[in-house]
């Protein structure tokens, strides 16, 4: 999906991945991330958000949710993370990173609220139901605390991805708020929804989803009960390009994830975006038959939209030789990728892919490199299996 754009905007990263693999410094099934690219992307995101008075929580699940990634991002202006689940929150907080938001997609378990409050100490917690609100309130009161929360609000017709169902129904919100407001251990300060933006059919721009109107309607409901809405959290494709749009809709908080590696959907089609492509996936041709070359896998992702990969054993070859990807089945384990066989292919060749991914659900390693645009790239952090 991002091969052509990475060749155009960050060819050095592709060469660096080839060199590190051919030297044996990284194995096949490794995501290679340009640390300097991530620093640049975090910096321009932070500057753009400050210009438009919008706060950001960074997300690391796409890039391996490691403390190294978190510190890299925090040192370039985005000071707090959003944790997709409690395991990510632990991984980041134990490394000294600051958690701004938890519960965004996965709600903590009923016996985990005390740990969340005492050790993770998030700025806000997203709640999906009154039952979870009661649990959190009781845990907070037991510790003598009041936790600020935001409510995930949905309505029929919203876009909700499989596996991400849940939230307060908009048409029931007014009836539930009196009971929520009685809970002394929590303080409602806002709302959230996902996804609020999606790329248009022409791949030229982002447009709002029905979820955006749900979010705005939910704000009105909260305000009608005298609640001061401090946070309107609207994740999905948060980037320098979309921040002004989010601000116009009254959004106060965004959550960049793919923008940190220049891999939002629009980055595959627009070469003028501020963030630069900063991540590739490295494999190796394992064996071949008359029709296909099979590459060592473990890091493919069902929604990757892969079309082509690069292959070769030298910097010259890897930037000029392309092969068509034969789609793998998401129903099967990705032991091998599959490329249409080309006459110049050799067993042991490096294969470089660039696609939309979520490293935390893969079996892949993660290597951060500096000096990607030199012929002496250096691995500065290696994470065995980015889980």
């Amino acid at each position: 999906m991002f091969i052509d754009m990475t060749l155009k905007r960050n060819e050095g990263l592709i060469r660096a991945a080839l060199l590190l693999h051919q030297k044996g410094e990284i194995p096949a099934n490794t995501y290679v991330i340009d640390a300097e690219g991530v620093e640049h992307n975090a910096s321009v995101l932070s500057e753009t958000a400050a210009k438009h008075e919008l706060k950001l929580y960074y997300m690391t699940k796409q890039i391996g949710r490691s403390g190294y990634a978190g510190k890299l991002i925090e040192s370039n202006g985005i000071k707090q993370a959003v944790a997709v689940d409690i395991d990510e929150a632990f991984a980041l907080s134990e490394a000294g990173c600051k958690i701004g938001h938890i519960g965004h997609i996965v709600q903590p378990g009923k016996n985990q609220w005390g740990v969340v409050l005492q050790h993770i100490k998030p700025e806000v917690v997203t709640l999906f139901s009154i039952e979870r609100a009661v649990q959190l309130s009781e845990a907070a009161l037991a510790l003598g605390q009041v936790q600020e929360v935001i409510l995930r609000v949905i309505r029929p017709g919203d876009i909700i991805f499989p596996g991400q169902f849940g939230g307060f129904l908009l048409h029931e919100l007014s009836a539930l708020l009196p009971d929520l407001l009685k809970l002394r251990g929590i303080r409602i300060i806002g709302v959230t929804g996902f996804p609020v933006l999606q790329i248009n059919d022409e791949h030229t721009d982002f447009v709002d989803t029905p979820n955006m109107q749900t979010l705005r309607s939910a704000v009105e409901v909260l305000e009608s009960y005298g609640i001061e809405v401090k946070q309107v959290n609207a994740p999905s494709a948060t980037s320098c390009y979309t921040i002004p749009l989010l601000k116009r809709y009254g959004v106060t908080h965004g959550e960049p994830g793919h923008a940190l590696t220049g891999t939002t959907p629009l980055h595959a089609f627009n070469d003028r975006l501020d963030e630069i492509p900063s991540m590739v996936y490295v494999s190796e041709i394992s064996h071949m038959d008359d029709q296909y070359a099979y590459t060592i896998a473990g890091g493919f992702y069902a929604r990757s939209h892969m079309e082509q990969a690069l292959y070769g054993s030298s910097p010259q070859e890897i930037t000029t030789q392309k092969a068509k990807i034969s789609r793998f089945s998401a129903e099967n384990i990705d032991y091998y990728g599959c490329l249409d066989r080309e006459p110049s292919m050799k067993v042991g060749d490096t294969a470089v892919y660039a696609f939309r991914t979520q490293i935390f659900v893969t079996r892949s390693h993660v290597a951060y490199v500096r000096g990607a645009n030199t012929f002496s790239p250096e691995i500065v952090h290696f994470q065995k299996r980015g889980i």
Side-chain angles (χ1 to χ4, degrees):
M1 180 178 183
F2 297 103
I3 278 291
D4 289 338
M5 199 59 72
T6 307
L7 275 170
K8 185 173 185 178
R9 302 191 67 193
N10 197 358
E11 182 181 307
L13 177 60
I14 294 169
R15 292 195 305 267
L18 173 285
L19 290 169
L20 293 169
H21 173 251
Q22 288 294 321
K23 289 178 181 179
E25 294 184 33
I26 59 171
N29 186 31
T30 297
Y31 282 95
V32 178
I33 298 177
D34 182 350
E36 289 150 322
V38 172
E39 287 178 327
H40 165 83
N41 294 343
S43 179
V44 295
L45 282 161
S46 176
E47 292 168 2
T48 303
K51 177 181 177 181
H52 293 277
E53 299 181 322
L54 189 141
K55 183 172 179 177
L56 301 178
Y57 299 128
Y58 66 85
M59 180 170 279
T60 66
K61 66 187 178 75
Q62 293 95 338
I63 53 176
R65 63 187 195 185
S66 71
Y68 179 85
K71 292 290 186 65
L72 196 68
I73 296 163
E74 288 183 13
S75 66
N76 284 276
I78 308 176
K79 298 302 184 182
Q80 292 174 295
V82 51
V84 69
D85 56 28
I86 195 165
D87 296 314
E88 183 173 10
F90 279 134
L92 293 172
S93 62
E94 288 174 359
C97 300
K98 297 177 181 178
I99 307 299
H101 183 193
I102 192 171
H104 167 246
I105 294 180
V106 181
Q107 298 277 273
K110 64 181 181 181
N111 297 316
Q112 294 176 318
W113 289 118
V115 176
V116 168
L117 295 172
Q118 286 182 289
H119 299 289
I120 296 174
K121 300 179 181 179
E123 184 172 68
V124 294
V125 173
T126 285
L127 294 173
F128 282 28
S129 67
I130 195 164
E131 292 85 1
R132 290 294 186 200
V134 170
Q135 292 170 5
L136 176 56
S137 177
E138 290 176 349
L141 289 174
L143 295 168
Q145 300 179 17
V146 177
Q147 174 63 53
E148 292 190 333
V149 303
I150 57 179
L151 308 179
R152 186 184 188 196
V153 183
I154 60 174
R155 65 174 171 176
D158 280 356
I159 295 174
I160 301 176
F161 296 135
Q164 297 183 21
F165 298 101
F168 293 91
L169 289 168
L170 181 62
H171 66 272
E172 295 178 353
L173 189 57
S174 288
L176 292 173
L177 275 173
D179 288 333
L180 288 167
L181 291 170
K182 291 176 184 176
L183 300 174
R184 295 182 296 111
I186 63 171
R187 180 183 301 114
I188 301 169
I189 65 161
V191 293
T192 187
F194 175 82
V196 298
L197 298 175
Q198 63 183 1
I199 196 166
N200 63 16
D201 292 338
E202 297 77 26
H203 300 141
T204 58
D205 204 352
F206 283 107
V207 294
D208 57 294
T209 70
N211 307 40
M212 182 69 85
Q213 185 54 53
T214 300
L215 205 58
R216 299 178 75 180
S217 297
V219 170
E220 294 176 1
V221 175
L222 263 59
E223 289 177 339
S224 73
Y225 277 81
I227 296 170
E228 181 184 2
V229 177
K230 299 178 182 179
Q231 184 164 155
V232 182
N233 186 300
S236 67
T238 305
S239 65
C240 293
Y241 184 88
T242 62
I243 284 171
L245 174 62
L246 294 173
K247 186 65 178 180
R248 288 197 296 272
Y249 277 113
V251 171
T252 64
H253 289 65
E255 298 183 347
H258 286 291
L260 292 165
T261 49
T263 54
T264 78
L266 194 59
H267 282 85
F269 303 97
N270 188 330
D271 62 1
R272 298 182 302 279
L273 301 182
D274 291 334
E275 303 90 354
I276 60 174
S278 298
M279 178 170 63
V280 296
Y281 177 65
V282 175
S283 183
E284 175 183 327
I285 295 179
S286 169
H287 52 281
M288 298 184 283
D289 57 28
D290 290 343
Q291 190 173 3
Y292 298 113
Y294 300 95
T295 61
I296 297 169
F300 293 134
Y301 181 61
R303 296 172 58 210
S304 60
H305 302 294
M306 297 182 295
E307 295 179 355
Q308 294 180 314
L310 301 167
Y311 68 92
S313 57
S314 70
Q316 169 66 19
E317 289 177 348
I318 202 68
T319 55
T320 57
Q321 295 184 154
K322 287 183 184 178
K324 182 180 178 182
I325 293 169
S326 179
R327 299 287 183 185
F328 70 95
S329 172
E331 297 177 358
N332 298 315
I333 298 171
D334 63 327
Y335 293 117
Y336 293 100
C338 186
L339 303 177
D340 287 357
R341 183 168 180 173
E342 298 291 341
S344 56
M345 284 177 168
K346 305 179 296 295
V347 169
D349 274 352
T350 301
V352 174
Y353 300 76
F355 53 83
R356 189 170 171 83
T357 190
Q358 302 277 335
I359 294 178
F360 84 115
V361 298
T362 74
R363 308 186 310 281
S364 298
H365 313 294
V366 186
Y368 283 82
V369 303
R370 290 192 178 277
N373 284 282
T374 71
F375 280 92
S376 300
E378 176 188 5
I379 299 171
V380 291
H381 177 75
F382 187 80
Q383 183 182 354
K384 280 187 71 67
R385 298 191 60 181
I387 57 176

